[in-house]
Amino acid sequence: MTWDLNADADATANPMGAWSYGRSEDPNDPVPFTLHTNTFNAGPNNDLRIWDLASGHPNIAYNKGVNELESHIGPGEHNMHPGTDPNPDYAKIRFTVPASVANNQQVQIQGLWDRPNPTGGNDDMHIFHNNGTTATELFQNLGIVDDVPFDVTVTVTPGDFIDFAVGNHDGVEGGGAASVDSLTITEVPEPTTVMLVGLSALGLLCCRRPRS
């Protein structure tokens, strides 16, 4: 099973399936999560669906149109914009592990953050497993970058959280944003499952009769 942020969640609801849009209200801590409840449309043809604080950033935006917006948000892509002064909070997207996933299941987290405006300020980007005192940081990148790929694997249980956070690392007013070019979470097959599939394929091959 694979969950794909840009394919699964079109920002018409929050939460939407396994995905949620929110923020950390602590500018010094990207772990806490508060769900966004304010939403509106913006941009050309109202193609940009935004979830944010009623007062503005941080926000999560989704391009529901067919054209690139703001020179970096492609059709069907999300954008994470951290807060700027006086609210330099983290923009966050949360994945909640569904009940259908087995206990102690490994999942692979892959994707690409596109940092479109390096002159706007430094971003800090994080991936966390669970929250509070149990939070484990799976990935971190600080600084001025254009493209930040990630590929990490973690063991999860239903109800666990995987949080993606983008912050305004240097605190400058210009802030910065990161468009989510891709973000997928995929269950990793257990070795026994892979072996059984291989044996089944071998058995079918052996049972095939040559044509006369």
Side-chain angles (χ1 to χ4, degrees):
M1 178 71 181
T2 295
W3 296 268
D4 184 324
L5 170 68
N6 289 334
D8 298 344
D10 62 7
T12 54
N14 187 30
M16 190 166 201
W19 303 97
S20 305
Y21 311 125
R23 64 193 182 276
S24 166
E25 297 185 329
D26 184 342
N28 299 310
D29 187 355
V31 173
F33 183 87
T34 300
L35 191 74
H36 279 320
T37 57
N38 187 64
T39 186
F40 60 96
N41 293 319
N45 302 314
N46 283 326
D47 280 342
L48 200 61
R49 180 79 170 196
I50 296 175
W51 289 85
D52 71 353
L53 291 165
S55 58
H57 298 141
N59 68 34
I60 306 296
Y62 176 79
N63 181 357
K64 54 191 178 73
V66 296
N67 299 309
E68 185 178 69
L69 298 177
E70 299 185 2
S71 301
H72 68 95
I73 311 173
E77 291 182 358
H78 285 75
N79 187 69
M80 304 176 70
H81 200 304
T84 54
D85 295 336
N87 296 309
D89 303 332
Y90 284 82
K92 297 193 66 175
I93 292 175
R94 168 168 286 187
F95 175 81
T96 302
V97 178
S100 59
V101 174
N103 288 326
N104 300 316
Q105 170 68 52
Q106 279 199 325
V107 294
Q108 186 175 19
I109 306 164
Q110 296 175 297
L112 179 69
W113 271 306
D114 179 18
R115 177 72 174 85
N117 181 24
T119 61
N122 294 347
D123 280 349
D124 54 299
M125 304 171 179
H126 310 263
I127 302 175
F128 290 97
H129 177 212
N130 286 339
N131 60 4
T133 58
T134 65
T136 300
E137 185 161 57
L138 307 176
F139 175 90
Q140 181 188 89
N141 184 281
L142 307 177
I144 300 175
V145 291
D146 289 323
D147 295 296
V148 181
F150 49 88
D151 186 344
V152 294
T153 300
V154 65
T155 300
V156 299
T157 293
D160 281 4
F161 303 129
I162 299 172
D163 283 358
F164 305 85
V166 173
N168 182 4
H169 181 54
D170 57 10
V172 299
E173 183 63 27
S179 57
V180 185
D181 287 359
S182 62
L183 198 173
T184 60
I185 298 177
T186 304
E187 289 179 303
V188 178
E190 295 182 8
T192 52
T193 302
V194 175
M195 184 175 65
L196 287 173
V197 171
L199 289 173
S200 298
L202 181 61
L204 289 173
L205 182 64
C206 293
C207 290
R208 292 182 64 183
R209 296 180 179 178
R211 294 183 178 181
S212 57

